[in-house]
Amino acid sequence: MSTAALPATPPAMPAPAFGAAMHALLARLFPICRSITGDGVRQTLAIVREYLPALQVHEVPSGTPALDWTVPAEWSIREAWVKNAAGERVIDFRAHNLHVLQYSTPVGGWFARAELEEHLFSLPQQPDLIPYRTSYYQPNWGFCLSHHQREQLQDEYYEVCIDSTLDAAGSLTYGELVLPGASEEEVLLSCHCCHPSLANDNLSGLVVAVFLAQELARQPRRYTYRLVLGPGTIGSIVWLSRNPEAVGRIRHGLVLTLLGGPGGFTYKQSRHTTAEVDQAAALVLRDFGAAYEVRPWLPYGYDERQYGSPGFNLPVGCLSRTPFGEFAEYHTSADDVGFVQPTQLAESLSLTQALCEALEANRSYRNLSPYGEPQLGRRGLYKGVGGGQEGADWQMALLWLLNLSDGSHSLLQVAQQSGLPVALLHRAARALKAVELLQPL
Amino acid sequence: MSTAALPATPPAMPAPAFGAAMHALLARLFPICRSITGDGVRQTLAIVREYLPALQVHEVPSGTPALDWTVPAEWSIREAWVKNAAGERVIDFRAHNLHVLQYSTPVGGWFARAELEEHLFSLPQQPDLIPYRTSYYQPNWGFCLSHHQREQLQDEYYEVCIDSTLDAAGSLTYGELVLPGASEEEVLLSCHCCHPSLANDNLSGLVVAVFLAQELARQPRRYTYRLVLGPGTIGSIVWLSRNPEAVGRIRHGLVLTLLGGPGGFTYKQSRHTTAEVDQAAALVLRDFGAAYEVRPWLPYGYDERQYGSPGFNLPVGCLSRTPFGEFAEYHTSADDVGFVQPTQLAESLSLTQALCEALEANRSYRNLSPYGEPQLGRRGLYKGVGGGQEGADWQMALLWLLNLSDGSHSLLQVAQQSGLPVALLHRAARALKAVELLQPL
Amino acid sequence: MSTAALPATPPAMPAPAFGAAMHALLARLFPICRSITGDGVRQTLAIVREYLPALQVHEVPSGTPALDWTVPAEWSIREAWVKNAAGERVIDFRAHNLHVLQYSTPVGGWFARAELEEHLFSLPQQPDLIPYRTSYYQPNWGFCLSHHQREQLQDEYYEVCIDSTLDAAGSLTYGELVLPGASEEEVLLSCHCCHPSLANDNLSGLVVAVFLAQELARQPRRYTYRLVLGPGTIGSIVWLSRNPEAVGRIRHGLVLTLLGGPGGFTYKQSRHTTAEVDQAAALVLRDFGAAYEVRPWLPYGYDERQYGSPGFNLPVGCLSRTPFGEFAEYHTSADDVGFVQPTQLAESLSLTQALCEALEANRSYRNLSPYGEPQLGRRGLYKGVGGGQEGADWQMALLWLLNLSDGSHSLLQVAQQSGLPVALLHRAARALKAVELLQPL
């Protein structure tokens, strides 16, 4: 087999500079105390609008019905502390956002240690770390603290104060950005933005999504892209309940989460398991070069649960690095700014870009010279001299596309059957289209 | 993930007491000299009627055409012996039922040793054991004996007597029990009962079937259950030829055999290979905890051959422990009452019960709140406190059922895709039905 | 399980004598200088006509359009040499056909060594071997030589002569043989015959095809067989362009190539991947006993590329031993008469015969006694005495055929599901047809 001219390789990874900018945004967002409602989300989205000015911020009143749910009261937290008999603050929300149980009801007064203990959460197996705990839908109050800190609480009585509000006249906040494409068909990108001071979960997904949207905004788009940034579960439920028409236009979707940690990539299939986004993710990960794993659909996890409920049945997968619950820092104070590295964010961005490119590239073609092989030589696509694996792959990409372009094989299917990279096949398809051997369907 | 209230676990295994009662029945039936016709089958079925009074016993006259076959003459055996020159009985049917070749024609007189040798069957590789041999459809006579016993036959002449009858005016006997259910659709349970003094093959299957029928009789039934106890091959052929309407109502079927030996379980798929009974057997075995193997359909074996002939094409699998020909005691005098243990019988019964429960439980459901996840908390199905694998599995069972209950996934398919136990999913489905989240189709 | 009468086994392998005759033909054809056009092909086909007098030889004028291609000018080569300063022929086409670049344009005169070097081809990694190189569609001239020979060229100037003609008024030559069968449906056998003095590539395929056609000619045929012997790529393109009606009758096809080397067999699937020829090849190789590999379709290789282009989409696989590029002798002077052994040719012939037999045998049957198993004993197909694996396999072949002959399983599918040899099932099908238990559809 001889080799042939390779079109110039498109620019590969985002420069490491992207990583630094991504990490700076993450570090800026980290200190904000987010929850599923409240000013933390508003402050977060305000900063995101500096990057994506077209981002729309929606407020949905507490009490609004949403599918089987109701928008909860808005939670605000001002102060939360425990003082010992000597009046010293032994636990203080000001020291770390994680110290207060999310959605704690207001409380104040003196408690015997045994009573207080029922409202404390710590991790005996990870005694230095503060856990992250919530009680959104069951009224409760509590404090999270390191187990070492807890063991020092030996007084008989403690004074407790949680100065919080659960405002039935408040609202739930989410952000939404639409990047119109040539087609009304949509790609949904969704991130939860309800966790306080946890870097990987999920400021990493938010930051990757913001930079991905910036990059998508700069380029021609076949698809319309829709970015939804909202609180987990209730956020996607609220969005789904308010956007029946947009729901009907979603062709592919991705939940982006846990994209800043050190592990390999994990793609969790959509409920369809063989949707186009599932094919694209598997192939892009195959081509990408990093360690990865493809996992089957599971009706547990992030907001893909809601998008993939049987009534909506949207083809939305979930892309992460090491999944939730499988790394020691998960939902603890160790998931901090240092746990997420710039290079990891940049690599995640690069992967999501490749995945969007694969979705954009995936078409079926018709071979316009389908009887026998067309003579590539006289079209300048077959060179007598050359070599190396890249040249051989290019020649094979041309032959595979010609052979399978019978209208019933998509580019991703050609990538699957041939073993060749999606990006290489995309370039080869453009070259064959240029010499009028392929016609997109 | 939090855990939730688990409904009370249904009673698990039959008490070991079942094992003793089962073994007692087996020991009582063991000494009877059964064949494919004759009083041995009648005596066996008479004892079974003590356990299942509704059992009907059918007599089908010899000579009756049945599909491609004809009901054979009825065989009776009274005496069979070989005497040496000194007049001593060196082989005697009274000592062991296996000593006579089944369906031996009558014979009497003196034979040179060489002539006699042509009618002797022994096992040189297992010299202590008497083999089991038959010649139903080719007239012959013979004796089975241990190889050691055979080697001692050194006289020049022997006197032979087989006092048997092949009565063309006789009949073939089989038993049949119908347990009506809510539906006319049937589950067929079939055992061969034609072997003399072989405990595992197939008194074990018969005893398991009898106790299973007793248990099924005690409980509400979705399906109608039909138990057929008859001689191998000709028995099922006769039954099939006489019951065209019942044949049309069979939805699932099991041949029960070799269920008392020490090995793991073996399920041989029906001719369909993916029938509901095949799915159920594979999943129930997966959940059961014992060693097991699922084997593909093979048109050789027990009466599943007849049920699975292409004209009938019934979805009838075969459940056994170690299959025929794969354990040393098979078709020898070593397959005796001691080879079958009470605990093995009880475990087999428990498995067949679980399999029937799985068939009963297998429905498709529709999620009545299919848009997004329903809020389980306000329905008491999501608890904030708890733990352990059982709680986690229960929560996942609820989520899987809600997610896949789109009318096109059966409970067994949910069990397959989720990896969760069939019985747990059945309980979860009942819980979701109770709060009106699931509706059976 | 008892055994039964086995019909006499049909004659197995061709006698070793076939191997000698095959190798003699190969040795006779080896010295001819073939190319994609020219007298070398004509001489080759003239010798083949001694074996297959019905072979038709077609001449297609240069310049004739053929699909996307044009028949090239006819190349003739008379002399080609390089002389050193002393006037000695240091490279001479008379010494080896491979010394000249195929389709070299005429050239003559003195060249500086550096200029000459641009027209020399050698193999530094295999310094003793002359490579085989072509430049059919890009005008060029050149010499191939061993790397050792090349290293001795130290003169400053060399005289070069290539006395060749590229005749635009010439023609392309190919051979075609049709063996009519009971049906107009065709099996295509195709070999490239354009390589000079390379034994395995592809005189081996040609010789196997010639002997296979001789054997097929001697026997009754269900299918019509068509043998096409032509130059690679352009030969099959020309044939396809001229025979639209025959193309429509092709049901199965095989490219035969590289069948004389020492390696195991390789079957490359047709573009369909599950066509009948793909099933047959996989099963016949499974049964054959030699080492083998089945590889997926690839739009690169031999003329299956043209037959399998999407417009034609013919089910044509490729049968070889070690594939091109995977043995050291490939496309070098080491692929000589000694590299191909008579026993290897004879074994390849035997395999291709078995493959044609499998295609001939592959029918679906209907069991005429489909309700229960038919009683084989009274039809003489079930014997009470016997043994051995052959007898057991014969009995299982009967049972599998009866069980799966519901009109929707072909003989090859029975062979796949049962694991039994195709040839055994074919015999069993004939035996069941003889007693009127099976009816071909």
Side-chain angles (χ1 to χ4, degrees):
Chain A
M1 194 172 79
S2 297
T3 59
L6 276 167
T9 306
M13 310 256 138
F18 265 122
M22 294 171 82
H23 198 264
L25 172 57
L26 182 138
R28 186 171 164 209
L29 295 169
F30 186 80
I32 300 170
C33 182
R34 281 164 293 273
S35 183
I36 59 171
T37 58
D39 276 340
V41 177
R42 286 186 197 99
Q43 290 163 28
T44 300
L45 296 178
I47 293 172
V48 168
R49 285 189 72 172
E50 298 175 18
Y51 291 74
L52 300 171
L55 186 83
Q56 286 187 293
V57 176
H58 302 272
E59 296 285 346
V60 184
S62 297
T64 305
L67 305 179
D68 193 59
W69 300 61
T70 303
V71 174
E74 181 176 331
W75 185 61
S76 303
I77 176 81
R78 286 164 296 275
E79 269 205 289
W81 46 257
V82 173
K83 289 185 185 167
N84 61 11
E88 298 158 337
R89 294 193 177 195
V90 293
I91 313 175
D92 192 348
F93 169 62
R94 288 185 195 165
H96 204 298
N97 283 329
L98 294 182
H99 274 317
V100 70
L101 176 74
Q102 287 248 324
Y103 261 65
S104 276
T105 50
V107 67
W110 287 87
F111 289 80
R113 197 174 75 211
E115 286 174 292
L116 177 62
E117 280 284 353
E118 292 175 14
H119 294 269
L120 298 184
F121 302 92
S122 64
L123 300 168
Q125 306 300 318
Q126 297 174 292
D128 293 321
L129 305 184
I130 310 167
Y132 164 59
R133 289 289 158 84
T134 73
S135 189
Y136 303 133
Y137 301 103
Q138 290 192 298
N140 197 3
W141 62 267
F143 291 87
C144 302
L145 68 170
S146 77
H147 204 65
H148 284 150
Q149 195 177 3
R150 181 178 193 160
E151 286 171 328
Q152 287 159 14
L153 302 183
Q154 298 300 337
D155 288 0
E156 222 168 315
Y157 291 92
Y158 286 90
E159 190 184 358
V160 169
C161 166
I162 295 184
D163 177 11
S164 66
T165 319
L166 280 157
D167 183 359
S171 64
L172 175 151
T173 313
Y174 69 90
E176 189 173 19
L177 174 73
V178 177
L179 299 171
S183 161
E184 285 202 332
E185 297 188 327
E186 294 196 5
V187 178
L188 174 70
L189 302 168
S190 176
C191 303
H192 65 278
C193 61
C194 51
H195 286 29
S197 302
L198 293 170
N200 195 30
D201 183 11
N202 186 31
L203 291 177
S204 69
L206 180 88
V207 164
V208 168
V210 167
F211 278 72
L212 175 62
Q214 280 193 331
E215 293 304 299
L216 289 169
R218 275 194 248 284
Q219 64 190 47
R221 292 174 299 278
R222 169 181 170 192
Y223 288 110
T224 293
Y225 288 79
R226 185 180 298 266
L227 176 62
V228 175
L229 306 175
T233 305
I234 189 65
S236 53
I237 283 169
V238 164
W239 183 83
L240 283 162
S241 73
R242 290 161 53 98
N243 293 280
E245 289 179 13
V247 163
R249 292 193 295 263
I250 293 174
R251 295 292 169 271
H252 322 290
L254 276 177
V255 168
L256 297 176
T257 180
L258 301 172
L259 286 165
F265 289 102
T266 302
Y267 177 73
K268 171 184 157 183
Q269 293 175 329
S270 79
R271 183 177 186 267
H272 298 225
T273 73
T274 55
E276 206 171 319
V277 68
D278 301 318
Q279 296 171 45
L283 291 166
V284 166
L285 283 164
R286 179 199 71 178
D287 298 347
F288 195 70
Y292 75 97
E293 193 184 346
V294 174
R295 296 195 181 181
W297 168 252
L298 186 78
Y300 188 70
Y302 293 102
D303 286 325
E304 67 277 6
R305 294 162 70 167
Q306 309 307 328
Y307 302 122
S309 58
F312 293 114
N313 194 28
L314 296 175
V316 178
C318 178
L319 186 69
S320 67
R321 286 170 172 273
T322 308
F324 67 89
E326 301 182 23
F327 55 98
E329 296 82 358
Y330 176 69
H331 274 195
T332 73
S333 51
D335 180 6
D336 60 13
V337 170
F339 181 60
V340 168
Q341 292 300 310
T343 52
Q344 293 153 8
L345 291 169
E347 190 186 41
S348 297
L349 172 59
S350 178
L351 177 67
T352 58
Q353 286 182 289
L355 185 39
C356 291
E357 281 165 26
L359 291 170
E360 294 271 320
N362 192 33
R363 295 184 181 280
S364 293
Y365 293 89
R366 186 170 297 285
N367 177 341
L368 297 175
S369 181
Y371 294 98
E373 283 177 18
Q375 205 184 354
L376 295 177
R378 64 176 163 86
R379 294 175 176 91
L381 291 171
Y382 192 89
K383 291 277 174 65
V385 181
Q389 190 53 40
E390 199 182 26
D393 283 355
W394 171 249
Q395 201 66 49
M396 287 309 300
L398 298 172
L399 292 177
W400 272 109
L401 281 165
L402 288 168
N403 192 254
L404 294 184
S405 286
D406 53 8
S408 67
H409 292 83
S410 70
L411 191 109
L412 291 177
Q413 287 171 317
V414 178
Q416 177 65 44
Q417 192 171 343
S418 68
L420 294 170
V422 174
L424 178 70
L425 286 164
H426 191 200
R427 276 185 285 145
R430 290 196 299 260
L432 289 167
K433 185 165 169 285
V435 297
E436 296 183 351
L437 282 174
L438 285 197
Q439 183 179 51
L441 290 186
Chain B
M1 195 172 76
S2 296
T3 58
L6 276 166
T9 305
M13 311 257 138
F18 266 122
M22 293 170 83
H23 198 264
L25 173 56
L26 181 138
R28 189 173 161 205
L29 295 170
F30 186 79
I32 300 169
C33 182
R34 283 164 292 275
S35 183
I36 59 170
T37 59
D39 277 340
V41 177
R42 287 185 196 100
Q43 291 164 26
T44 299
L45 296 178
I47 292 171
V48 169
R49 287 189 71 173
E50 298 176 19
Y51 292 74
L52 300 170
L55 185 83
Q56 285 187 296
V57 177
H58 301 273
E59 297 285 346
V60 183
S62 298
T64 305
L67 305 178
D68 192 59
W69 301 61
T70 303
V71 175
E74 179 176 333
W75 185 62
S76 303
I77 177 80
R78 286 166 294 276
E79 268 205 290
W81 47 255
V82 174
K83 288 184 186 170
N84 62 11
E88 299 158 337
R89 295 194 176 193
V90 292
I91 313 174
D92 192 349
F93 169 62
R94 286 184 197 167
H96 205 298
N97 283 327
L98 294 182
H99 274 317
V100 69
L101 177 75
Q102 286 248 324
Y103 261 65
S104 276
T105 49
V107 67
W110 286 87
F111 289 81
R113 197 175 75 212
E115 287 173 292
L116 177 61
E117 280 284 354
E118 293 176 13
H119 293 269
L120 297 184
F121 302 92
S122 65
L123 299 167
Q125 306 298 319
Q126 296 174 294
D128 292 321
L129 306 183
I130 312 167
Y132 165 59
R133 290 289 158 84
T134 71
S135 189
Y136 303 133
Y137 301 103
Q138 289 191 300
N140 195 2
W141 62 266
F143 291 88
C144 304
L145 69 170
S146 77
H147 204 63
H148 284 150
Q149 194 179 1
R150 182 178 192 162
E151 288 172 325
Q152 287 160 13
L153 302 183
Q154 298 299 338
D155 288 0
E156 222 167 316
Y157 290 93
Y158 287 90
E159 190 183 358
V160 170
C161 165
I162 295 184
D163 178 13
S164 67
T165 320
L166 282 157
D167 182 0
S171 63
L172 175 150
T173 311
Y174 71 88
E176 189 174 19
L177 175 73
V178 177
L179 299 171
S183 161
E184 285 202 332
E185 297 188 327
E186 295 197 4
V187 178
L188 174 70
L189 303 168
S190 175
C191 303
H192 65 277
C193 63
C194 51
H195 286 28
S197 301
L198 294 170
N200 195 31
D201 181 13
N202 184 29
L203 291 176
S204 69
L206 181 87
V207 165
V208 168
V210 166
F211 278 73
L212 174 62
Q214 280 195 330
E215 294 304 299
L216 289 169
R218 276 194 249 282
Q219 64 191 47
R221 290 175 300 279
R222 168 180 171 194
Y223 286 110
T224 293
Y225 288 79
R226 185 179 298 265
L227 176 62
V228 174
L229 307 174
T233 305
I234 188 66
S236 54
I237 283 170
V238 164
W239 184 84
L240 283 163
S241 73
R242 289 160 54 97
N243 294 279
E245 289 179 12
V247 163
R249 292 192 295 266
I250 293 173
R251 294 294 168 271
H252 322 289
L254 276 177
V255 168
L256 298 175
T257 180
L258 301 172
L259 285 165
F265 290 102
T266 303
Y267 177 73
K268 172 184 155 181
Q269 294 175 328
S270 79
R271 183 177 185 268
H272 299 225
T273 73
T274 55
E276 205 172 320
V277 68
D278 301 319
Q279 296 172 44
L283 291 166
V284 165
L285 284 163
R286 180 199 70 177
D287 297 347
F288 195 69
Y292 75 97
E293 191 183 348
V294 174
R295 296 194 181 182
W297 168 253
L298 185 78
Y300 189 69
Y302 293 103
D303 286 326
E304 68 277 6
R305 294 162 68 167
Q306 309 307 326
Y307 303 123
S309 58
F312 293 114
N313 194 27
L314 296 175
V316 178
C318 178
L319 185 69
S320 67
R321 285 170 172 274
T322 308
F324 68 90
E326 302 182 21
F327 55 97
E329 297 82 357
Y330 176 68
H331 276 195
T332 73
S333 50
D335 180 5
D336 60 14
V337 170
F339 181 61
V340 169
Q341 291 300 311
T343 53
Q344 293 152 8
L345 291 170
E347 190 187 40
S348 296
L349 172 60
S350 178
L351 177 66
T352 58
Q353 286 182 289
L355 185 40
C356 291
E357 282 166 25
L359 291 170
E360 295 272 318
N362 192 34
R363 292 183 182 283
S364 293
Y365 293 90
R366 184 169 299 284
N367 177 342
L368 298 175
S369 181
Y371 294 98
E373 282 179 20
Q375 204 184 355
L376 294 177
R378 64 176 163 88
R379 294 174 175 92
L381 291 172
Y382 191 89
K383 291 279 175 61
V385 181
Q389 189 55 36
E390 200 182 28
D393 284 354
W394 171 250
Q395 202 66 49
M396 287 310 298
L398 297 172
L399 292 177
W400 272 109
L401 280 165
L402 289 167
N403 191 254
L404 294 184
S405 287
D406 52 8
S408 68
H409 292 84
S410 69
L411 191 108
L412 291 178
Q413 288 171 315
V414 178
Q416 178 64 46
Q417 193 172 341
S418 68
L420 294 169
V422 174
L424 178 70
L425 287 164
H426 191 198
R427 276 184 286 147
R430 289 196 299 261
L432 290 168
K433 185 164 169 284
V435 297
E436 296 182 349
L437 281 174
L438 284 197
Q439 182 181 51
L441 292 186
Chain C
M1 196 172 76
S2 298
T3 59
L6 276 165
T9 305
M13 309 256 138
F18 266 122
M22 294 170 82
H23 199 264
L25 172 57
L26 182 138
R28 189 173 161 205
L29 294 170
F30 185 79
I32 299 170
C33 182
R34 281 164 293 274
S35 184
I36 59 170
T37 58
D39 276 340
V41 177
R42 287 187 196 100
Q43 290 163 27
T44 299
L45 296 178
I47 292 171
V48 168
R49 285 189 72 174
E50 297 176 21
Y51 291 75
L52 300 171
L55 186 83
Q56 285 186 295
V57 176
H58 301 274
E59 297 285 346
V60 182
S62 298
T64 304
L67 306 178
D68 192 59
W69 301 61
T70 303
V71 174
E74 180 176 333
W75 184 62
S76 302
I77 176 82
R78 284 165 296 276
E79 270 204 290
W81 46 255
V82 174
K83 288 184 187 168
N84 62 11
E88 297 157 335
R89 294 194 176 193
V90 291
I91 312 173
D92 192 350
F93 169 61
R94 286 185 197 166
H96 204 299
N97 283 326
L98 295 182
H99 274 316
V100 70
L101 176 76
Q102 287 247 324
Y103 261 65
S104 277
T105 50
V107 67
W110 287 85
F111 289 81
R113 197 174 76 212
E115 286 174 292
L116 177 61
E117 280 284 353
E118 291 176 16
H119 293 269
L120 297 185
F121 302 92
S122 64
L123 299 167
Q125 306 299 319
Q126 297 175 293
D128 293 321
L129 306 183
I130 311 167
Y132 165 59
R133 291 288 159 85
T134 70
S135 189
Y136 302 134
Y137 301 104
Q138 290 191 298
N140 196 1
W141 63 266
F143 290 88
C144 303
L145 69 169
S146 77
H147 205 64
H148 284 150
Q149 194 179 0
R150 181 177 192 162
E151 288 172 324
Q152 287 159 14
L153 303 183
Q154 299 298 339
D155 288 1
E156 222 169 315
Y157 290 93
Y158 286 90
E159 189 183 0
V160 170
C161 165
I162 295 184
D163 178 12
S164 66
T165 319
L166 281 157
D167 183 0
S171 64
L172 175 151
T173 311
Y174 69 89
E176 189 173 21
L177 174 74
V178 178
L179 299 172
S183 160
E184 284 202 333
E185 297 189 327
E186 295 197 6
V187 178
L188 174 69
L189 303 168
S190 175
C191 303
H192 65 278
C193 62
C194 51
H195 286 28
S197 301
L198 294 170
N200 195 31
D201 183 11
N202 185 30
L203 291 177
S204 69
L206 179 88
V207 164
V208 169
V210 167
F211 278 73
L212 175 62
Q214 280 193 332
E215 293 305 299
L216 290 168
R218 276 193 249 283
Q219 65 190 46
R221 291 174 300 279
R222 170 182 169 191
Y223 287 110
T224 293
Y225 288 79
R226 185 180 298 265
L227 176 63
V228 174
L229 307 175
T233 305
I234 188 66
S236 54
I237 283 171
V238 164
W239 184 84
L240 284 162
S241 73
R242 289 161 53 97
N243 293 278
E245 289 179 13
V247 163
R249 292 192 296 264
I250 292 174
R251 295 294 168 271
H252 322 289
L254 276 177
V255 168
L256 297 176
T257 179
L258 301 173
L259 285 166
F265 289 102
T266 302
Y267 177 74
K268 172 184 157 182
Q269 293 175 329
S270 79
R271 183 175 185 269
H272 299 226
T273 73
T274 56
E276 206 171 320
V277 68
D278 300 319
Q279 296 172 43
L283 291 165
V284 165
L285 283 164
R286 179 199 70 178
D287 298 347
F288 195 69
Y292 75 97
E293 193 184 345
V294 174
R295 297 197 180 179
W297 168 253
L298 186 78
Y300 189 69
Y302 293 103
D303 286 326
E304 67 278 6
R305 295 162 68 167
Q306 309 308 328
Y307 302 124
S309 57
F312 293 114
N313 194 27
L314 296 175
V316 177
C318 178
L319 185 69
S320 67
R321 286 170 171 273
T322 308
F324 68 89
E326 302 182 22
F327 55 98
E329 297 81 358
Y330 176 69
H331 275 195
T332 72
S333 51
D335 180 5
D336 60 12
V337 171
F339 180 60
V340 169
Q341 291 300 310
T343 53
Q344 293 154 6
L345 291 169
E347 191 188 39
S348 296
L349 172 60
S350 178
L351 177 67
T352 59
Q353 286 182 290
L355 185 40
C356 291
E357 282 166 26
L359 292 171
E360 295 272 318
N362 192 33
R363 294 183 181 282
S364 293
Y365 292 90
R366 185 170 297 286
N367 176 342
L368 297 175
S369 181
Y371 294 99
E373 282 177 19
Q375 204 184 354
L376 295 178
R378 62 175 165 88
R379 293 174 176 93
L381 290 172
Y382 191 89
K383 290 278 173 66
V385 181
Q389 191 54 39
E390 199 181 29
D393 284 355
W394 171 249
Q395 202 64 50
M396 288 310 298
L398 297 172
L399 293 176
W400 272 109
L401 280 165
L402 288 168
N403 191 254
L404 294 184
S405 288
D406 53 8
S408 68
H409 292 83
S410 69
L411 191 109
L412 291 177
Q413 287 171 316
V414 178
Q416 177 65 45
Q417 193 172 341
S418 68
L420 294 169
V422 175
L424 179 71
L425 287 163
H426 191 200
R427 277 184 285 148
R430 288 195 300 260
L432 290 168
K433 184 164 170 283
V435 297
E436 296 182 349
L437 281 174
L438 284 197
Q439 183 180 48
L441 292 185

